[in-house]
Amino acid sequence: MAADRASHTTGAAQDSPDLRKRNVARPSGSNGGLTLSTDTDDDKKTRQPQQSILSVLDEYEFLIAPLIFTLFSFFTRMYKIGLSPIVTWDEAHFGKFGSHYLKREFYFDVHPPLGKMLVGLSGYLAGYNGSFEFKSGDTYPEEINYTFMRLFNSTFGALCVPLAYFTARELNLRRSAVWLVTLMVLCENSYATISRFILLDSMLLFFTFTTVLCWARFHRLQKESFTLEWFLWLFLSGISIGCVCSVKWVGLFCTALVGLYTIEDLWNKFGEFKMPKVEYGQHIVARVVGLIVIPSLVYMFSFYLHFLVLENSGPGDAQMSSLFQANLRGTEVGKDSPLEIAYGSRATLKNMGYGGGLLHSHVQTYPEGSQQQQITCYHHKDANNDWFFYPNREQRDYDPEAPLKYVADKDVIRMIHSQTGRNLHSHQMSAPVTKADHEVSCYGNTTIGDDKDHWTVEVVSDAASSDRSKIRTLTTSFRLRHTSLGCYLRAGNVNLPQWGFKQIEVTCAKENKPRDVYTHWNVESHWNERLPAGDPGSYKSPFFRDFLHLNVAMMTSNNALVPDPDKQDDLASQFWQWPILNVGLRMCGWDDHIVKYFLLGNPMVYWGSTLSLLSIGLLVGWYLIRWQRGYDELKQADIDHIHYSGLYPVAGWVLHYLPFVAMARVTYVHHYYPALYFAILTTGFVVNWLTRPLARLDKRVEWAVYGVLYAVIVGLFVLFRAVVFGMEGDNKNWRHLKWFDSWRITD
């Protein structure tokens, strides 16, 4: 036994994947002594090269294996990638967003900008000029190198495979389990399929994988605090967190996992009485900088580049503040608008709350309450956003021939809707959604009405002047207080039901909160032929205000993505269907002449990973029961291995899966893909743990078990390869892949 132990490098566990073996003499025979070799010189010569090759392969496995896996990964993600020349699935969205970057047109989307900027970069490198509209199902014109753009995106998906390999190593899995995890990612059909198109998902997965790798490596260095390598992986973790959150907000779930680990780590260090207080403070500061400051800076920098590149007016202008829009090239906001507002002026009013829209009305009425004409906030520009400033009913009627009179602070005014001629009105009736506030409606006309049509102007601030005697276009922030009721015109981030076209509810808030920006308004566009044109666009909007404004607007729009009961979405799915692979997704039309792609996972990967999630619960429960009964077969190293290599991947799965159980928005199968990765890591740990006895008993038996798993995973990928590489011809040719009716591979 001593000689056997001596054959391993010092300090290495015998079952370590990094094990290096020395060439030493081994005992043989019953007496444990060395037997004389009877091999001929020729036998030695023939066997020596073979042993040399195997030892080299063994020693450099950490380089050779990921290289081989990566080559196969690039093949599975890129083979026949340009076969379908049509705009497929969400390429219609993200390809179009990439076009906006190339044309430098401002647009709005519910996702952060990093992934879409990378799509724009792929188009730039492909020589694309941004002119294609990316309509779903359209054929790409010859001048667009869509194949290169897809290859660019697929690179992120291909690189997930080596990242999975090195992550499994950092989780201290044996080599056989490391290969299992890597093969599951490599041969996961849904990962391979979704990486082949101009989408954000491959980038989201890539940065999710990098975050987990950086976290795992940082944890392995916990005994080497404040070394150069320790700081490197801490800061790389922060950069990766910033990147994954800058692609999609789903990255926040990955951030939560690292945050959970950090809290536990600092709590454990808090209990180390030998640690000096100064050192503990340094640990806190290092983590605040590395895991909060750096990710925040990366996230904000992506928006800085977003604003810097998109300098021209575009379809997303209305989501931003009026002052921001006025500084875009080619904008109509503030263009030739008179600076000061006078009675008789026609204008649009922009809510200054984050994500605020334009004060809007239309002929439709409330289905309940007063049943008067609806008032909403709306982000798209049309004539229903226009209002006239009129004197109140106690003053002389507006005379267009009379001398100009400017609207000033504390003036009592009426607002007349330009399209319907009705007054902006409020009364003691509950708002349709926010019941604590009064309803706001359009009522009467220029002659019919009452004092509930009166609003008092209260100036909050002016970016251009300290003079509050006049209301100015773009720069003046003001509130409208209902003169009779004392409430304030407010447009929060509450969406009306379908009868209100999902537009933002406008109410009259009873509470007087001067700092509530959702009660602040400004004039965005202004028309008055009797006034000279001004140049309000000469004033700049601060970056941080624009950053917050856009993020709240994204959040508001995200919350509005709820299922429409009046429409059937054949592509949507429920959270319970994902772990059991109950459903797939058609990514394009299903005509015979179209190359068809179907988002469906590898059954072994899905079902095996879900079973592992259940198994680890039973495993932990088993050891807890045995521990309670006095058994102590687990060493501290075993407990730590279960904790960090088993339970943390489970925590990652829970953090990425449960939010979709709770959220009311529309969900699709690809929302499960980040969670699936953590389930795969859990599978690697569970199989690694359960095969420990085999590894100790006979390595050949262990590898035989893993060989069966490898074969099934690869075999199922090959069986379902058509859903990845494209199904050509009659879809009925692929009926053998339709194992369940819910897999809509064939009609």
Side-chain angles (χ1 to χ4, degrees):
M1 291 298 292
D4 187 51
R5 286 194 298 269
S7 66
H8 302 290
T9 53
T10 303
Q14 293 189 21
D15 56 353
S16 170
D18 298 325
L19 192 62
R20 297 184 184 180
K21 297 181 179 180
R22 296 175 180 167
N23 295 320
V24 299
R26 291 184 175 273
S28 63
S30 59
N31 61 357
L34 295 176
T35 59
L36 294 175
S37 174
T38 58
D39 292 339
T40 64
D41 291 339
D42 290 338
D43 291 336
K44 291 179 180 179
K45 290 178 181 178
T46 56
R47 190 159 39 235
Q48 206 168 13
Q50 181 181 1
Q51 292 173 343
S52 177
I53 292 174
L54 289 176
S55 62
V56 168
L57 292 175
D58 180 67
E59 184 173 1
Y60 292 99
E61 180 274 342
F62 71 98
L63 293 176
I64 298 171
L67 179 61
I68 294 173
F69 283 127
T70 303
L71 291 175
F72 277 109
S73 178
F74 274 92
F75 172 78
T76 57
R77 272 63 176 172
M78 295 182 176
Y79 176 63
K80 298 172 70 174
I81 198 169
L83 180 62
S84 174
I86 67 171
V87 179
T88 302
W89 197 37
D90 278 353
E91 285 186 331
H93 298 301
F94 301 116
K96 180 170 59 180
F97 296 147
S99 298
H100 288 310
Y101 285 107
L102 296 174
K103 293 187 291 185
R104 309 192 72 171
E105 295 177 341
F106 194 84
Y107 73 94
F108 175 77
D109 180 46
V110 297
H111 300 302
L114 178 59
K116 294 166 292 186
M117 284 193 288
L118 290 172
V119 171
L121 175 62
S122 72
Y124 174 79
L125 295 175
Y128 169 51
N129 61 9
S131 60
F132 185 55
E133 294 186 9
F134 279 91
K135 291 183 179 179
S136 183
D138 278 6
T139 301
Y140 285 105
E142 292 184 3
E143 62 269 18
I144 295 183
N145 190 354
Y146 68 91
T147 301
F148 178 87
M149 296 178 69
R150 288 177 177 174
L151 286 170
F152 182 92
N153 270 47
S154 69
T155 302
F156 290 94
L159 292 176
C160 288
V161 172
L163 290 171
Y165 172 88
F166 289 110
T167 300
R169 281 176 58 94
E170 293 301 330
L171 292 176
N172 206 26
L173 304 183
R174 294 194 308 280
R175 180 181 298 171
S176 50
V178 170
W179 290 8
L180 177 65
V181 169
T182 311
L183 264 181
M184 291 177 77
V185 175
L186 170 64
C187 296
E188 171 46 42
N189 298 70
S190 62
Y191 282 178
T193 306
I194 207 163
S195 298
R196 300 167 65 83
F197 298 97
I198 305 170
L199 307 172
L200 301 187
D201 298 273
S202 60
M203 302 172 193
L204 174 66
L205 288 171
F206 173 79
F207 289 118
T208 299
F209 280 47
T210 59
T211 301
V212 178
L213 173 60
C214 293
W215 160 77
R217 182 58 187 163
F218 178 72
H219 170 67
R220 289 287 292 271
L221 296 169
Q222 60 179 331
K223 301 299 183 183
E224 304 175 32
S225 299
F226 305 117
T227 62
L228 181 61
E229 187 179 6
W230 185 86
F231 274 114
L232 173 65
W233 286 100
L234 174 64
F235 293 154
L236 285 176
S237 298
I239 293 171
S240 188
I241 289 171
C243 289
V244 72
C245 292
S246 299
V247 174
K248 281 188 177 183
W249 278 350
V250 173
L252 291 172
F253 306 145
C254 206
T255 307
L257 178 67
V258 178
L260 182 66
Y261 167 80
T262 304
I263 292 171
E264 183 199 0
D265 187 34
L266 291 175
W267 178 253
N268 291 336
K269 285 179 170 53
F270 184 69
E272 296 179 12
F273 298 117
K274 294 182 180 180
M275 180 178 290
K277 294 180 180 178
V278 173
E279 183 179 344
Y280 184 71
Q282 291 171 340
H283 275 287
I284 294 176
V285 172
R287 285 158 176 79
V288 168
V289 173
L291 302 177
I292 296 178
V293 175
I294 289 179
S296 300
L297 290 176
V298 171
Y299 184 75
M300 286 192 289
F301 184 66
S302 70
F303 281 88
Y304 174 79
L305 292 177
H306 180 72
F307 293 143
L308 184 66
V309 173
L310 304 182
E311 61 180 4
N312 298 323
S313 177
D317 294 7
Q319 293 285 350
M320 299 302 294
S321 69
S322 303
L323 202 54
F324 177 89
Q325 296 179 57
N327 285 279
L328 294 173
R329 293 181 181 178
T331 184
E332 295 297 322
V333 173
K335 182 180 180 181
D336 300 329
S337 290
L339 191 58
E340 288 112 357
I341 310 299
Y343 285 98
S345 289
R346 179 168 59 93
T348 60
L349 299 187
K350 172 82 170 180
N351 185 266
M352 299 186 70
Y354 304 119
L358 296 163
L359 189 66
H360 177 92
S361 187
H362 38 238
V363 296
Q364 286 79 9
T365 60
Y366 292 112
E368 54 186 21
S370 68
Q371 298 186 344
Q372 294 174 3
Q373 186 171 305
Q374 295 176 16
I375 294 287
T376 67
C377 253
Y378 190 51
H379 288 104
H380 298 279
K381 298 176 182 180
D382 61 32
N384 281 326
N385 302 329
D386 296 352
W387 299 83
F388 285 105
F389 284 84
Y390 264 49
N392 64 64
R393 296 189 183 279
E394 297 175 359
Q395 296 176 325
R396 183 177 300 177
D397 290 343
Y398 169 69
D399 181 3
E401 303 299 327
L404 286 170
K405 182 180 179 182
Y406 294 98
V407 179
D409 187 26
K410 307 304 181 186
D411 278 6
V412 179
I413 63 171
R414 279 188 299 154
M415 300 297 299
I416 309 293
H417 189 239
S418 67
Q419 293 298 298
T420 61
R422 299 189 182 279
N423 306 287
L424 184 66
H425 180 90
S426 187
H427 38 229
Q428 290 180 311
M429 187 168 291
S430 295
V433 179
T434 310
K435 299 296 184 182
D437 294 348
H438 294 312
E439 179 191 86
V440 177
S441 64
C442 256
Y443 171 74
N445 51 42
T446 53
T447 57
I448 298 174
D450 52 31
D451 62 350
K452 290 186 173 59
D453 302 332
H454 293 169
W455 300 85
T456 302
V457 177
E458 296 182 0
V459 174
V460 177
S461 62
D462 196 310
S465 173
S466 58
D467 178 16
R468 298 192 175 192
S469 63
K470 296 178 182 179
I471 302 295
R472 295 174 179 82
T473 304
L474 295 176
T475 62
T476 303
S477 169
F478 60 90
R479 306 168 82 201
L480 290 175
R481 178 173 59 84
H482 195 272
T483 310
S484 175
L485 300 176
C487 55
Y488 287 84
L489 189 69
R490 187 178 192 276
N493 285 323
V494 177
N495 294 91
L496 291 169
Q498 191 60 48
W499 52 257
F501 309 103
K502 301 286 185 179
Q503 294 173 12
I504 296 174
E505 179 191 37
V506 175
T507 65
C508 200
K510 299 175 185 177
E511 292 188 65
N512 179 12
K513 297 180 179 179
R515 294 186 178 181
D516 181 6
V517 292
Y518 295 102
T519 62
H520 296 184
W521 302 83
N522 69 267
V523 173
E524 180 169 286
S525 298
H526 175 207
W527 300 271
N528 193 320
E529 295 179 354
R530 301 176 65 189
L531 292 171
D535 185 23
S538 59
Y539 302 100
K540 302 295 182 183
S541 181
F543 164 75
F544 195 68
R545 180 184 296 176
D546 295 334
F547 169 76
L548 289 177
H549 191 107
L550 181 55
N551 274 268
V552 175
M554 289 158 52
M555 188 183 304
T556 304
S557 298
N558 231 322
N559 293 338
L561 296 175
V562 296
D564 188 343
D566 298 328
K567 296 180 181 178
Q568 180 178 346
D569 190 346
D570 292 332
L571 302 182
S573 55
Q574 299 296 317
F575 66 90
W576 64 266
Q577 298 176 291
W578 306 335
I580 60 175
L581 199 61
N582 178 257
V583 67
L585 185 146
R586 291 183 176 183
M587 300 185 71
C588 55
W590 229 241
D591 296 339
D592 292 347
H593 67 280
I594 293 177
V595 180
K596 295 166 280 294
Y597 296 90
F598 192 73
L599 266 183
L600 185 72
N602 186 314
M604 181 63 180
V605 174
Y606 266 75
W607 296 336
S609 62
T610 302
L611 181 61
S612 296
L613 292 167
L614 300 174
S615 299
I616 197 169
L618 296 174
L619 184 69
V620 172
W622 167 258
Y623 283 115
L624 286 175
I625 292 172
R626 289 180 62 81
W627 174 78
Q628 186 67 17
R629 294 295 298 171
Y631 294 93
D632 60 349
E633 69 263 45
L634 292 181
K635 300 176 182 178
Q636 186 58 45
D638 296 327
I639 295 173
D640 288 342
H641 187 47
I642 294 173
H643 185 181
Y644 293 105
S645 301
L647 295 183
Y648 264 95
V650 173
W653 179 84
V654 170
L655 288 170
H656 283 78
Y657 181 66
L658 283 189
F660 290 101
V661 177
M663 67 176 59
R665 65 156 291 168
V666 182
T667 52
Y668 303 94
V669 293
H670 69 285
H671 289 144
Y672 185 65
Y673 293 168
L676 176 62
Y677 178 53
F678 292 96
I680 290 173
L681 292 176
T682 304
T683 305
F685 168 79
V686 169
V687 178
N688 181 84
W689 187 270
L690 295 179
T691 55
R692 289 195 312 166
L694 297 178
R696 298 190 186 108
L697 181 65
D698 190 337
K699 280 284 187 181
R700 291 173 298 180
V701 176
E702 179 199 11
W703 280 102
V705 171
Y706 277 98
V708 172
L709 295 176
Y710 300 158
V712 173
I713 292 169
V714 174
L716 285 173
F717 176 83
V718 173
L719 177 64
F720 285 91
R721 66 189 181 280
V723 303
V724 178
F725 302 138
M727 296 179 283
E728 300 181 75
D730 189 348
N731 64 77
K732 292 182 176 58
N733 295 334
W734 315 103
R735 64 166 62 92
H736 63 282
L737 301 180
K738 188 177 182 179
W739 290 5
F740 304 99
D741 290 338
S742 55
W743 293 6
R744 298 176 56 243
I745 296 176
T746 61
D747 293 325

